[in-house]
Amino acid sequence: MFEATRPAHAPVDHPKVKMGKVGILLANLGTPDDYSYWPMRRYLNEFLSDQRVIDYPKWKWQPLLQLIILTKRPFSSGAAYKSIWNHEKGESPLLTITKDQTVKMAAAMQERYGDQVMVDYCMRYGNPSTKSKVREMVEAGCDKILFFPLYPHYAGATSATANDEFFRALMDEAWQPASRTVAPYFDRPEYIEALAQSIERAYEGLEKRPDILVCSYHGMPKRYLMQGDPYHCQCAKTTRLLRERLGWDETEIMSTFQSKFGPEEWLQPYTVEHVAELAKQGKKNIAICAPAFSADCIETLEEINEEIKESFEHAGGEVFTYIPCLNDDDAHIAALGAVVESNLKGWLD
């Protein structure tokens, strides 16, 4: 069905082309190729040069980035990555998990649509690049591509920059495929259900019920919220929907924000500070999850489970339970599959 052929009514000397497939391209944030200095520097340079992430004027930001930050930060970030690295496979956990998610999604889509679809993944920063995967899909005969940033919530620094990179990749294609991007799915019942099930399983395995569940979301400057970014509101709704599904009281769950960077005010409360405050208030047993991340990564495995945990214990906390991201959990893949199916309507029904 997808062998290269001449288009209908084309002259006999027209080059043969492949067409007729629908590409499903999953996209995540990215990963360095290694935790040593130069791979870390390349990765951080690409990430921190993105003006969706750091929107300061280039003339002001780039000298600071190139001359100061990128001479020091690759060492500290590299050490953090080394502490969580998948040494057996020679890659970051984010890459391992994204590969596993893609395999399961491909199997689910194959069962649903047969050979009409092609499923792959790309990274906004690092490898495999968005551009390279768009090129592969077009060469494989995908004349339609559904681009799926794996962020439950919209933010300019995540969903928007991933879409930007996808659109830039399309600019290089002589024959652009028809394209769609997937909207945030933070309030879809399937996603909330998958989150709730993961928390219920974790709680069932604990000797004592935690005093509170902290939903730690990746932070961003408060200024972005005031400029109209909906991320903060979508995070708040996720926590509310999760609480309602679990049937909990408002005192049993809360939202915080992590990963503050730079001098300006970010969304609050800050996770690293607030868990210490919880310990001082007598909440010595807490659980923490990260609903904004579709896969465990440096921000969850190192920042939450090491730095934030240390802050809690240093303040007198006793039991700290990190509940992993949904990763390639079957309920998560089913939820993502439902999102894909709804976005393919009109292309594949």
Side-chain angles (χ1 to χ4, degrees), residues 58-232:
K58 290 183 179 180
W59 65 266
K60 180 186 295 185
W61 173 244
Q62 280 298 320
L64 177 64
L65 176 65
Q66 300 299 328
L67 299 177
I68 299 176
I69 295 173
L70 290 181
T71 60
K72 299 179 180 179
R73 186 150 180 164
F75 292 109
S76 59
S77 294
Y81 267 99
K82 185 178 181 180
S83 72
I84 64 162
W85 201 253
N86 184 340
H87 295 279
E88 181 181 346
K89 294 189 176 182
E91 61 192 25
S92 72
L94 176 65
L95 183 55
T96 302
I97 293 165
T98 304
K99 287 178 178 179
D100 293 341
Q101 290 172 328
T102 303
V103 168
K104 285 194 172 183
M105 180 65 77
M109 294 298 102
Q110 178 74 22
E111 183 176 350
R112 174 72 172 82
Y113 299 110
D115 63 356
Q116 297 179 89
V117 298
M118 173 183 178
V119 180
D120 210 338
Y121 72 94
C122 65
M123 298 294 180
R124 170 60 183 90
Y125 314 105
N127 296 305
S129 68
T130 304
K131 181 178 180 178
S132 68
K133 289 301 180 178
V134 168
R135 183 88 282 275
E136 287 181 18
M137 284 190 161
V138 171
E139 289 181 342
C142 295
D143 53 17
K144 300 179 180 68
I145 296 179
L146 178 66
F147 185 70
F148 192 172
L150 293 177
Y151 307 109
H153 313 82
Y154 175 92
T158 54
S159 313
T161 190
N163 289 337
D164 290 345
E165 192 70 3
F166 175 57
F167 299 143
R168 279 190 286 268
L170 293 176
M171 290 172 65
D172 292 332
E173 293 300 324
W175 187 352
Q176 287 183 335
S179 304
R180 293 175 177 172
T181 59
V182 174
Y185 55 95
F186 66 96
D187 56 354
R188 287 192 60 124
E190 305 95 334
Y191 164 69
I192 297 298
E193 181 63 27
L195 271 180
Q197 288 180 15
S198 72
I199 291 162
E200 288 171 337
R201 285 195 303 270
Y203 270 47
E204 287 170 1
L206 299 175
E207 292 184 6
K208 184 179 178 182
R209 181 183 177 87
D211 299 318
I212 192 168
L213 173 67
V214 177
C215 296
S216 181
Y217 298 90
H218 198 290
M220 69 177 185
K222 183 179 179 181
R223 173 170 51 87
Y224 292 8
L225 166 65
M226 306 314 292
Q227 292 171 348
D229 194 301
Y231 177 74
H232 178 269

Side-chain angles (χ1 to χ4, degrees), residues 242-274:
L242 181 58
R243 177 181 61 79
E244 291 173 354
R245 159 59 182 81
L246 291 168
W248 289 3
D249 185 80
E250 290 184 2
T251 61
E252 297 179 274
I253 186 171
M254 69 171 303
S255 300
T256 61
F257 297 89
Q258 63 181 87
S259 308
K260 181 181 183 297
F261 176 81
E264 66 179 303
E265 181 183 358
W266 279 39
L267 299 179
Q268 294 193 42
Y270 301 136
T271 306
V272 69
E273 296 176 2
H274 199 73

Side-chain angles (χ1 to χ4, degrees), residues 14-34:
H14 191 288
K16 293 182 178 181
V17 295
K18 290 182 180 180
M19 57 189 304
K21 275 193 176 184
V22 175
I24 301 168
L25 186 55
L26 310 177
N28 215 319
L29 182 76
T31 173
D33 294 325
D34 189 72

